[in-house]
Amino acid sequence: MTQDELKALVGRAALDYVVPGTVVGVGTGSTVNCFIDALATIKDRIAGAVSSSVASTLRLQAHGITVLDSNTVQAIPVYIDGADEIDHRGCMIKGGGAALTREKIVADLADRFICIADESKLVDVLGRFPLPVEVIPMAAAQVARRFASAYGGQATLRAGVTTDNGNVLLDVRGLAIADPLAMEAEINQWPGVVTVGIFARHRARVCLLGTEQGVKTLSFD
Ligand code: 5RP
């Protein structure tokens, strides 16, 4: 199977986790696009969606799925999203699609994060994928220097990209993230950091992994 076929497989499998009659949290990315297309087939059975990006909102709306303002929603049972890397505890690196801040906000509304990914995303230690960090533009160089001094990481500005929130992104290479929870907490304290793409506090509870043998379900509870 191709990577696209694996993404389509897990996108459809995620429908099993949608709770009928409720609002669904929807992530961002090519795997989530497959989920959105599958969700359209049951759109009359959900109360709508909360979206994590302009791109996902447009795709949901194109399917006739109601997108709700997150300020009007107090809680949702599930948030379904992809990942750039996921480890064996459900901790993730996210933000390859530049939507990490809104993704973390919607994940925070949800009881459970359901990750959908192809098997290339499963790793022992997070950090081979460059860590995305959304920063306030005036702090970009300062935060980049801090990555070098604190972790030996090399941060580069993602060229030509402005997030949905009007900020810029750093991609940090050369990290081996042994303790995702501690590193997320530390980087969150740095002035100018809006969101770090480590999802440890908001880790996945389930990962639907697309493999050659079919969908493998990893549970992290
Ligand atoms: C977007 C994300 C995506 O979930 C992540 O980049 C995975 O994307 P894809 O499904 O296209 O591989 O974090 O900000």
Side-chain angles (χ1 to χ4, degrees):
M1 262 187 281
T2 64
Q3 200 178 22
D4 284 348
E5 286 167 338
L6 295 178
K7 288 178 182 187
L9 197 65
V10 292
R12 285 194 299 273
L15 289 184
D16 289 346
Y17 289 83
V18 171
V19 181
T22 68
V23 175
V24 184
V26 177
T28 297
S30 56
T31 316
V32 165
N33 283 344
C34 296
F35 168 64
I36 293 174
D37 296 346
L39 190 63
T41 66
I42 60 158
K43 66 181 176 190
D44 297 332
R45 282 180 258 159
I46 59 170
V50 177
S51 168
S52 61
S53 64
V54 172
S56 288
T57 296
L58 293 175
R59 195 175 187 100
L60 287 159
Q61 289 173 336
H63 280 301
I65 298 171
T66 304
V67 177
L68 300 159
D69 178 346
S70 57
N71 286 300
T72 66
V73 177
Q74 285 180 24
I76 53 178
V78 289
Y79 174 64
I80 295 170
D81 198 358
D84 298 303
E85 283 185 350
I86 181 163
D87 72 12
H88 295 273
R89 291 168 292 181
C91 297
M92 295 166 284
I93 285 183
K94 291 186 46 55
L100 64 166
T101 295
R102 295 187 187 197
E103 289 173 343
K104 215 174 255 193
I105 292 168
V106 186
D108 190 60
L109 280 177
D111 293 337
R112 285 207 302 169
F113 190 130
I114 312 296
C115 178
I116 49 177
D118 66 83
E119 59 189 340
S120 69
K121 307 290 184 68
L122 188 64
V123 298
D124 289 330
V125 179
L126 298 175
R128 194 183 51 205
F129 188 92
L131 177 67
V133 186
E134 181 166 347
V135 297
I136 301 288
M138 73 171 282
Q142 195 172 335
V143 172
R145 284 194 299 272
R146 203 152 186 176
F147 266 106
S149 60
Y151 297 111
Q154 302 94 48
T156 51
L157 197 63
R158 199 180 296 181
V161 173
T162 303
T163 69
D164 286 350
N165 314 304
N167 297 312
V168 294
L169 281 171
L170 295 174
D171 291 306
V172 189
R173 291 174 174 75
L175 302 173
I177 305 174
D179 187 345
L181 204 55
M183 195 161 166
E184 181 182 17
E186 165 64 19
I187 296 167
N188 273 336
Q189 307 299 320
W190 296 355
V193 169
V194 177
T195 303
V196 58
I198 300 173
F199 281 57
R201 286 200 63 218
H202 297 88
R203 71 191 168 93
R205 299 296 154 165
V206 171
C207 178
L208 303 176
L209 202 66
T211 76
E212 285 300 328
Q213 292 73 42
V215 178
K216 198 169 159 188
T217 303
L218 311 177
S219 295
F220 305 110
D221 282 327

Coordinates of all heavy atoms in Angstrom, one line a residue, residues 19-91:
V19 N -18.5 10.1 18.2 CA -19.6 9.8 19.1 C -20.9 10.4 18.5 O -20.9 11.7 18.3 CB -19.4 10.3 20.5 CG1 -20.6 10.0 21.4 CG2 -18.1 9.7 21.1
P20 N -21.9 9.7 18.1 CA -23.0 10.2 17.4 C -23.7 11.3 18.2 O -23.8 11.2 19.4 CB -24.0 9.0 17.2 CG -23.1 7.8 17.3 CD -22.0 8.2 18.2
G21 N -24.1 12.4 17.5 CA -24.8 13.5 18.2 C -24.0 14.5 18.8 O -24.5 15.5 19.4
T22 N -22.6 14.3 18.8 CA -21.7 15.2 19.4 C -20.9 16.1 18.4 O -20.9 15.8 17.2 CB -20.7 14.5 20.4 OG1 -19.8 13.7 19.6 CG2 -21.5 13.6 21.3
V23 N -20.2 17.1 19.0 CA -19.3 17.9 18.1 C -17.9 17.1 18.1 O -17.5 16.7 19.1 CB -19.1 19.3 18.8 CG1 -18.1 20.1 18.0 CG2 -20.5 20.0 18.8
V24 N -17.4 17.1 16.9 CA -16.1 16.4 16.7 C -15.0 17.4 16.6 O -15.1 18.4 15.8 CB -16.2 15.5 15.4 CG1 -14.9 14.7 15.2 CG2 -17.4 14.6 15.4
G25 N -13.9 17.1 17.2 CA -12.7 18.0 17.1 C -11.9 17.5 15.9 O -11.6 16.3 15.8
V26 N -11.5 18.4 15.0 CA -10.9 18.0 13.7 C -9.5 18.7 13.6 O -9.4 19.9 13.7 CB -11.8 18.3 12.5 CG1 -11.1 18.0 11.2 CG2 -13.1 17.6 12.6
G27 N -8.5 17.9 13.4 CA -7.1 18.4 13.2 C -6.9 18.9 11.8 O -7.8 19.4 11.1
T28 N -5.6 18.8 11.4 CA -5.1 19.4 10.2 C -4.1 18.5 9.5 O -3.3 17.9 10.2 CB -4.5 20.8 10.5 OG1 -5.5 21.6 11.0 CG2 -4.0 21.4 9.2
G29 N -4.1 18.5 8.2 CA -3.0 17.7 7.5 C -3.6 16.8 6.5 O -4.9 16.6 6.3
S30 N -2.7 16.1 5.8 CA -3.2 15.2 4.7 C -3.9 14.0 5.2 O -4.9 13.5 4.6 CB -2.0 14.8 3.8 OG -1.0 14.1 4.6
T31 N -3.6 13.5 6.4 CA -4.3 12.3 7.0 C -5.7 12.7 7.4 O -6.7 12.1 7.2 CB -3.5 11.7 8.1 OG1 -2.1 11.6 7.8 CG2 -4.0 10.3 8.5
V32 N -5.7 13.9 8.1 CA -7.0 14.4 8.5 C -7.9 14.8 7.3 O -9.1 14.6 7.4 CB -6.8 15.7 9.4 CG1 -8.1 16.5 9.6 CG2 -6.3 15.2 10.8
N33 N -7.3 15.2 6.2 CA -8.2 15.4 5.0 C -8.9 14.1 4.7 O -10.1 14.2 4.3 CB -7.3 15.9 3.8 CG -6.9 17.3 4.0 OD1 -7.5 18.1 4.8 ND2 -6.0 17.8 3.2
C34 N -8.3 13.0 4.8 CA -8.9 11.7 4.5 C -10.1 11.5 5.5 O -11.1 11.0 5.2 CB -7.9 10.5 4.6 SG -6.7 10.6 3.4
F35 N -9.8 11.8 6.8 CA -10.8 11.7 7.8 C -12.0 12.6 7.5 O -13.2 12.2 7.6 CB -10.2 12.0 9.2 CG -11.3 12.2 10.3 CD1 -12.1 11.1 10.6 CD2 -11.5 13.4 10.9 CE1 -13.1 11.2 11.6 CE2 -12.5 13.5 11.8 CZ -13.3 12.4 12.2
I36 N -11.7 13.8 7.1 CA -12.8 14.8 6.8 C -13.7 14.2 5.7 O -14.9 14.3 5.8 CB -12.3 16.2 6.5 CG1 -11.6 16.8 7.7 CG2 -13.4 17.1 5.9 CD1 -10.8 18.1 7.4
D37 N -13.1 13.7 4.7 CA -13.8 13.1 3.6 C -14.7 12.0 4.0 O -15.8 11.8 3.6 CB -12.9 12.7 2.4 CG -12.1 13.8 1.8 OD1 -12.5 15.0 2.1 OD2 -11.1 13.6 1.1
A38 N -14.2 11.2 5.0 CA -15.0 10.0 5.5 C -16.1 10.6 6.4 O -17.2 10.1 6.4 CB -14.0 9.1 6.3
L39 N -15.8 11.6 7.2 CA -16.7 12.2 8.1 C -18.0 12.7 7.3 O -19.1 12.7 7.8 CB -16.1 13.4 8.9 CG -16.8 14.0 10.1 CD1 -17.1 12.9 11.2 CD2 -16.1 15.2 10.6
A40 N -17.7 13.2 6.1 CA -18.8 13.7 5.3 C -19.9 12.7 5.1 O -21.1 13.0 4.9 CB -18.3 14.2 4.0
T41 N -19.5 11.4 5.1 CA -20.5 10.3 4.9 C -21.4 10.1 6.0 O -22.5 9.5 5.9 CB -19.8 9.0 4.5 OG1 -19.1 8.5 5.7 CG2 -18.8 9.1 3.3
I42 N -21.1 10.7 7.2 CA -22.0 10.5 8.4 C -22.3 11.9 8.9 O -22.6 12.1 10.1 CB -21.3 9.6 9.5 CG1 -20.0 10.2 10.0 CG2 -21.2 8.2 9.0 CD1 -19.6 9.7 11.4
K43 N -22.2 12.9 8.1 CA -22.4 14.3 8.6 C -23.7 14.6 9.3 O -23.9 15.4 10.1 CB -22.1 15.3 7.5 CG -23.1 15.3 6.4 CD -22.7 16.4 5.3 CE -23.7 16.3 4.2 NZ -23.2 17.1 3.0
D44 N -24.8 13.8 8.9 CA -26.1 14.0 9.4 C -26.2 13.4 10.8 O -27.2 13.6 11.6 CB -27.2 13.4 8.6 CG -27.2 14.1 7.2 OD1 -26.8 15.3 7.1 OD2 -27.6 13.4 6.2
R45 N -25.2 12.7 11.2 CA -25.2 12.0 12.6 C -24.3 12.7 13.6 O -24.2 12.3 14.7 CB -24.7 10.6 12.4 CG -25.8 9.7 11.9 CD -25.4 8.2 11.8 NE -25.0 7.9 10.4 CZ -24.2 6.9 10.0 NH1 -23.7 6.2 10.9 NH2 -24.0 6.7 8.7
I46 N -23.7 13.9 13.2 CA -22.9 14.6 14.2 C -23.5 16.0 14.4 O -24.2 16.5 13.5 CB -21.4 14.7 13.8 CG1 -21.3 15.4 12.4 CG2 -20.8 13.4 13.8 CD1 -19.8 15.8 12.1
A47 N -23.1 16.7 15.5 CA -23.7 18.0 15.8 C -22.8 19.1 15.1 O -23.1 20.3 15.3 CB -23.8 18.2 17.3
G48 N -21.7 18.7 14.5 CA -20.8 19.7 13.9 C -19.4 19.4 14.2 O -19.1 18.3 14.8
A49 N -18.5 20.3 13.9 CA -17.1 20.1 14.1 C -16.5 21.4 14.7 O -17.0 22.5 14.4 CB -16.4 19.8 12.8
V50 N -15.4 21.2 15.5 CA -14.5 22.3 15.8 C -13.2 22.1 15.1 O -12.7 21.0 15.1 CB -14.3 22.4 17.4 CG1 -13.3 23.5 17.7 CG2 -15.6 22.6 18.1
S51 N -12.8 23.1 14.4 CA -11.7 22.9 13.5 C -10.4 23.6 14.0 O -10.4 24.6 14.7 CB -12.0 23.5 12.1 OG -10.9 23.7 11.3
S52 N -9.3 23.0 13.6 CA -8.0 23.5 14.1 C -7.2 24.3 13.1 O -6.0 24.7 13.3 CB -7.1 22.3 14.5 OG -6.9 21.5 13.3
S53 N -7.8 24.6 11.9 CA -7.1 25.5 11.0 C -8.1 26.0 9.9 O -9.2 25.5 9.8 CB -6.1 24.7 10.2 OG -6.7 23.6 9.5
V54 N -7.7 27.0 9.3 CA -8.5 27.6 8.2 C -8.6 26.5 7.1 O -9.7 26.3 6.5 CB -7.8 28.9 7.6 CG1 -8.6 29.3 6.4 CG2 -7.8 30.0 8.7
A55 N -7.6 25.8 6.8 CA -7.6 24.8 5.7 C -8.6 23.7 6.0 O -9.4 23.3 5.2 CB -6.2 24.1 5.6
S56 N -8.7 23.2 7.3 CA -9.6 22.2 7.6 C -11.0 22.7 7.7 O -12.0 22.1 7.2 CB -9.3 21.5 9.0 OG -8.2 20.7 8.9
T57 N -11.2 24.0 8.1 CA -12.5 24.6 8.1 C -13.1 24.6 6.7 O -14.2 24.3 6.5 CB -12.4 26.0 8.7 OG1 -12.0 25.9 10.0 CG2 -13.8 26.8 8.6
L58 N -12.3 25.0 5.7 CA -12.7 25.2 4.4 C -13.1 23.8 3.8 O -14.1 23.6 3.1 CB -11.6 25.8 3.5 CG -11.3 27.3 3.8 CD1 -10.2 27.7 2.9 CD2 -12.6 28.1 3.5
R59 N -12.3 22.8 4.2 CA -12.7 21.4 3.7 C -14.0 20.9 4.3 O -14.8 20.3 3.6 CB -11.5 20.5 3.9 CG -11.6 19.2 3.1 CD -10.3 18.4 3.3 NE -10.3 17.2 2.5 CZ -9.6 17.1 1.4 NH1 -8.8 18.1 1.0 NH2 -9.6 16.0 0.6
L60 N -14.1 21.1 5.6 CA -15.3 20.7 6.3 C -16.5 21.4 5.7 O -17.6 20.7 5.4 CB -15.2 21.0 7.8 CG -14.2 20.1 8.6 CD1 -13.8 20.8 9.9 CD2 -14.9 18.8 8.9
Q61 N -16.4 22.7 5.5 CA -17.6 23.4 5.0 C -17.9 23.0 3.5 O -19.0 23.0 3.1 CB -17.3 24.9 5.1 CG -17.3 25.4 6.5 CD -16.9 26.9 6.7 OE1 -16.1 27.4 5.8 NE2 -17.3 27.5 7.7
A62 N -16.9 22.7 2.8 CA -17.1 22.3 1.4 C -17.9 21.0 1.4 O -18.6 20.7 0.4 CB -15.8 22.1 0.7
H63 N -17.8 20.2 2.4 CA -18.6 19.0 2.5 C -20.0 19.2 3.2 O -20.7 18.3 3.4 CB -17.9 17.9 3.4 CG -16.8 17.2 2.7 ND1 -17.0 16.4 1.6 CD2 -15.5 17.1 2.9 CE1 -15.9 15.8 1.2 NE2 -14.9 16.2 2.0
G64 N -20.2 20.5 3.6 CA -21.5 20.8 4.2 C -21.6 20.4 5.7 O -22.6 20.3 6.3
I65 N -20.4 20.3 6.3 CA -20.3 20.0 7.7 C -20.2 21.4 8.5 O -19.4 22.2 8.1 CB -19.1 19.2 8.1 CG1 -19.2 17.8 7.3 CG2 -18.9 19.0 9.6 CD1 -17.9 16.9 7.4
T66 N -21.1 21.5 9.5 CA -21.1 22.8 10.2 C -19.9 22.9 11.1 O -19.5 22.0 11.8 CB -22.4 22.8 11.2 OG1 -23.5 22.5 10.4 CG2 -22.5 24.1 12.0
V67 N -19.2 24.1 11.0 CA -18.0 24.3 11.8 C -18.4 25.3 12.9 O -18.9 26.4 12.6 CB -16.9 24.8 10.9 CG1 -15.7 25.2 11.8 CG2 -16.5 23.8 9.9
L68 N -18.2 24.9 14.1 CA -18.6 25.8 15.2 C -17.4 26.6 15.8 O -16.3 26.1 15.7 CB -19.1 24.9 16.4 CG -20.4 24.1 16.0 CD1 -20.6 22.9 16.9 CD2 -21.6 24.9 16.0
D69 N -17.7 27.8 16.3 CA -16.7 28.6 16.9 C -16.3 27.9 18.2 O -17.2 27.5 19.0 CB -17.3 30.0 17.2 CG -16.4 30.9 17.9 OD1 -15.4 30.5 18.5 OD2 -16.7 32.1 18.0
S70 N -15.0 27.7 18.4 CA -14.6 26.9 19.6 C -15.0 27.6 20.9 O -15.2 27.0 21.9 CB -13.1 26.7 19.6 OG -12.4 28.0 19.5
N71 N -15.3 28.9 20.8 CA -15.7 29.6 22.0 C -17.1 29.3 22.5 O -17.5 29.5 23.6 CB -15.6 31.2 21.8 CG -14.2 31.7 21.8 OD1 -13.5 31.5 22.8 ND2 -13.8 32.2 20.7
T72 N -17.9 28.6 21.6 CA -19.2 28.2 21.9 C -19.3 26.8 22.4 O -20.4 26.3 22.6 CB -20.2 28.4 20.7 OG1 -19.8 27.5 19.7 CG2 -20.1 29.8 20.1
V73 N -18.2 26.1 22.4 CA -18.1 24.7 22.8 C -17.3 24.5 24.1 O -16.2 25.0 24.2 CB -17.5 23.9 21.6 CG1 -17.4 22.4 22.0 CG2 -18.2 24.1 20.3
Q74 N -17.9 23.8 25.0 CA -17.3 23.6 26.3 C -16.4 22.4 26.4 O -15.4 22.3 27.1 CB -18.3 23.6 27.5 CG -18.8 25.0 27.7 CD -19.8 25.0 28.9 OE1 -19.8 24.2 29.7 NE2 -20.7 26.0 28.8
A75 N -16.9 21.3 25.7 CA -16.2 20.1 25.8 C -16.6 19.2 24.6 O -17.7 19.3 24.1 CB -16.5 19.3 27.1
I76 N -15.7 18.4 24.2 CA -16.0 17.4 23.1 C -15.4 16.1 23.5 O -14.4 16.0 24.2 CB -15.4 17.9 21.7 CG1 -13.9 18.2 21.8 CG2 -16.1 19.1 21.2 CD1 -13.3 18.6 20.5
P77 N -16.1 15.0 23.0 CA -15.5 13.7 23.5 C -14.2 13.3 22.8 O -13.4 12.7 23.4 CB -16.7 12.7 23.1 CG -17.6 13.4 22.2 CD -17.4 14.9 22.4
V78 N -14.1 13.6 21.5 CA -12.9 13.2 20.8 C -12.3 14.3 19.9 O -13.1 15.1 19.3 CB -13.1 12.0 19.9 CG1 -13.2 10.7 20.7 CG2 -14.1 12.1 18.9
Y79 N -11.0 14.3 19.8 CA -10.3 15.2 18.9 C -9.5 14.2 18.0 O -8.7 13.4 18.5 CB -9.3 16.1 19.6 CG -8.4 16.9 18.7 CD1 -9.0 17.8 17.8 CD2 -7.0 16.8 18.7 CE1 -8.2 18.6 16.9 CE2 -6.2 17.5 17.9 CZ -6.8 18.4 17.0 OH -6.0 19.1 16.1
I80 N -9.6 14.3 16.7 CA -9.0 13.4 15.8 C -8.0 14.2 14.9 O -8.3 15.1 14.2 CB -10.0 12.6 14.9 CG1 -10.8 11.8 15.9 CG2 -9.3 11.8 13.8 CD1 -12.1 11.1 15.3
D81 N -6.7 13.8 15.0 CA -5.7 14.5 14.3 C -4.5 13.6 13.9 O -4.3 12.5 14.5 CB -5.2 15.7 15.2 CG -4.4 16.7 14.4 OD1 -4.2 16.6 13.2 OD2 -4.0 17.8 15.0
G82 N -3.7 14.0 13.0 CA -2.5 13.3 12.7 C -1.3 13.7 13.5 O -1.4 14.4 14.5
A83 N -0.1 13.3 13.2 CA 1.1 13.6 13.9 C 2.3 13.5 12.9 O 2.2 12.8 11.9 CB 1.3 12.7 15.1
D84 N 3.3 14.2 13.3 CA 4.6 14.1 12.5 C 5.4 12.9 13.1 O 6.1 12.3 12.3 CB 5.3 15.4 12.5 CG 4.5 16.5 11.8 OD1 4.2 16.3 10.7 OD2 4.2 17.5 12.5
E85 N 5.4 12.8 14.4 CA 6.0 11.6 15.1 C 5.1 11.3 16.3 O 4.5 12.2 16.9 CB 7.4 11.9 15.6 CG 8.4 11.9 14.5 CD 9.9 12.2 15.1 OE1 10.0 12.5 16.3 OE2 10.8 12.0 14.3
I86 N 5.1 10.0 16.6 CA 4.4 9.6 17.8 C 5.2 8.5 18.5 O 5.8 7.6 17.8 CB 2.9 9.1 17.6 CG1 2.2 8.7 18.9 CG2 2.9 8.0 16.5 CD1 0.7 8.6 18.8
D87 N 5.4 8.6 19.8 CA 6.2 7.6 20.5 C 5.3 6.5 21.1 O 4.1 6.5 21.0 CB 7.2 8.2 21.4 CG 6.6 8.8 22.7 OD1 5.4 8.5 23.0 OD2 7.2 9.5 23.4
H88 N 5.9 5.6 21.9 CA 5.2 4.5 22.4 C 4.4 4.8 23.6 O 3.7 3.9 24.2 CB 6.1 3.3 22.6 CG 6.7 2.8 21.4 ND1 6.1 1.8 20.6 CD2 7.9 3.1 20.7 CE1 6.9 1.6 19.5 NE2 7.9 2.4 19.5
R89 N 4.4 6.1 24.0 CA 3.6 6.5 25.1 C 2.4 7.4 24.6 O 1.6 7.9 25.4 CB 4.4 7.3 26.2 CG 5.3 6.4 27.0 CD 6.3 7.3 27.8 NE 7.2 8.0 26.9 CZ 8.2 8.8 27.3 NH1 8.4 9.0 28.6 NH2 9.0 9.4 26.4
G90 N 2.4 7.7 23.3 CA 1.4 8.5 22.8 C 1.8 10.0 22.7 O 1.0 10.9 22.3
C91 N 3.0 10.3 23.1 CA 3.5 11.7 23.0 C 3.9 11.9 21.5 O 4.3 11.0 20.8 CB 4.8 11.9 23.8 SG 4.4 11.7 25.6

